[in-house]
Amino acid sequence: MTNRLLQMSGVVADLLYEVEAVPAPGEEAIVKGFSITPGGGFNAMVAAKRAGMMVFYGGSIGSGPFAKIVREGLNTENIPFLRAQDLNRDQGCCTVMIDPQGERTFVASDGAEGHVTAEDLNQISFHEFGWTLLSGYALHYAGSRRALHQWLTGEDRIENLVFDPSPIVASLNREALQAAMARATWISANMREAAVLTGQADPTEAAKSLAETRPRGGGVIVRLGEEGCILARQGSLEHIPPFRVQAVDTNGAGDTHIGSFIACLSRGETPKQAAVYANAAAALSTTQKGPATAPTEAVVENALRKKEAG
């Protein structure tokens, strides 16, 4: 069970636009490239799978053209879907504009993945998984928030919950957010998200604050983008240096970091070793265009060996 990850956050269809620049209000972007791929919760699952973990999707899948893209993506990566299909809704989608520097801008709308009921959750045997991943997006949607809040405060066994607050953390329902924070063994957030959670603008202070309330064996990752990450646990804090690359597309890098980190912990590596690996995997993912570009374990390990050799 230790090597089995349950993803509870929804998968969407990403509409990826490579633009000369993100347009100002009233203007139109000049598009240099376009593609549609699975995104959202898909990216972290792919990262964990390519790092050697068994991964299962516990979110919703609808019916329609976007849902077909999601199903095909899960099948390609051999990620099982654990619940009955939602026949009333298509999957949600996210428009992603990627500028020449690799930065991304989002506009998203939920679909089937934003609807979860208590009956849906009863289809999942939570005790069969050693790790569970939950995003703030799942707690944001009005159609899934209540059931997931009840799940988080209920008696279901949730092993090693990893909580990703997501870019919309400031808009989350307070009670649902508190339930996720109270249940989480690990929190992985970027600098802005950590500041929202704690009120601390300094990522080091934010990491310290979040680590104080983690259970024994858990901790906090505050991702610093191209500057690596901060690893904090009760009584300890360390900056994990970045793995330097020339980025062409940062879409999905944070998800790659999260999935890779979980996979390393699941196979018994220390949190520091897992953070070093996750930094490298996330960095390498930005050297390719697309959201689910996590490298395989062999690629990451080879890159780390080359770095050590100088």
Side-chain angles (χ1 to χ4, degrees):
M1 285 198 307
T2 302
N3 197 39
R4 292 164 61 95
L5 171 64
L6 173 65
Q7 168 64 289
M8 291 300 296
S9 302
V11 177
V12 300
D14 273 353
L15 283 64
L16 305 171
Y17 293 83
E18 297 175 39
V19 298
E20 288 187 354
V22 175
E27 295 183 353
E28 182 172 344
I30 303 300
V31 178
K32 298 297 187 181
F34 173 74
S35 62
I36 304 178
T37 67
F42 183 73
N43 303 331
M45 286 192 287
V46 170
K49 185 75 183 291
R50 292 179 184 173
M53 202 170 188
M54 297 176 64
V55 182
F56 300 79
Y57 179 49
S60 302
I61 290 184
S63 53
F66 288 151
K68 181 180 178 181
I69 291 169
V70 167
R71 289 196 305 272
E72 290 175 349
L74 291 171
N75 290 338
T76 297
E77 296 292 336
N78 294 314
I79 297 174
F81 171 53
L82 301 180
R83 290 177 27 217
Q85 185 179 3
D86 183 339
L87 300 177
N88 298 314
R89 305 175 182 88
D90 197 358
Q91 213 72 10
C93 63
C94 180
T95 296
V96 185
M97 290 182 286
I98 306 164
D99 68 20
Q101 288 72 47
E103 290 301 324
R104 60 234 162 98
T105 302
F106 304 103
V107 179
S109 178
D110 67 303
E113 80 290 345
H115 293 78
V116 178
T117 66
E119 290 73 22
D120 292 331
L121 297 179
N122 286 337
Q123 299 175 34
I124 302 174
S125 299
F126 293 101
H127 65 277
E128 295 180 356
F129 302 93
W131 293 83
T132 303
L133 178 58
L134 179 69
S135 163
Y137 283 112
L139 300 179
H140 174 69
Y141 301 133
S144 61
R145 181 190 310 132
R146 181 177 180 182
L148 291 172
H149 185 193
Q150 292 175 341
W151 167 64
L152 288 168
T153 55
E155 297 181 357
D156 278 309
R157 181 177 174 182
I158 307 175
E159 293 287 349
N160 294 313
L161 177 66
V162 179
F163 180 55
D164 165 22
S166 83
I168 57 171
V169 59
S171 301
L172 294 183
N173 172 271
R174 175 176 288 274
E175 287 74 24
L177 175 59
Q178 289 176 340
M181 296 280 287
R183 200 74 184 259
T185 302
W186 283 91
I187 295 172
S188 180
N190 65 26
M191 291 183 287
R192 177 189 168 278
E193 294 159 3
V196 171
L197 288 173
T198 64
Q200 300 276 359
D202 183 337
T204 299
E205 294 303 318
K208 287 180 182 178
S209 177
L210 291 169
E212 289 175 358
T213 55
R214 292 311 95 216
R216 184 180 299 275
V220 176
I221 292 288
V222 175
R223 305 186 306 274
L224 306 177
E226 61 183 14
E227 295 305 318
C229 69
I230 296 171
L231 168 64
R233 307 176 76 188
Q234 289 185 7
S236 68
L237 183 143
E238 186 171 0
H239 174 247
I240 308 299
F243 188 95
R244 299 290 185 188
V245 298
Q246 184 63 48
V248 298
D249 182 358
T250 62
N251 192 29
D255 295 317
T256 296
H257 198 285
I258 293 169
S260 300
F261 182 76
I262 294 171
C264 288
L265 291 181
S266 75
R267 58 176 181 251
E269 296 189 24
T270 67
K272 181 176 180 179
Q273 290 171 327
V276 169
Y277 181 101
N279 278 0
L284 291 168
S285 77
T286 70
T287 63
Q288 301 181 61
K289 294 182 179 180
T293 53
T296 63
E297 181 180 357
V299 169
V300 177
E301 296 293 355
N302 184 55
L304 288 171
R305 283 194 296 269
K306 287 183 177 179
K307 182 181 179 181
E308 290 179 3

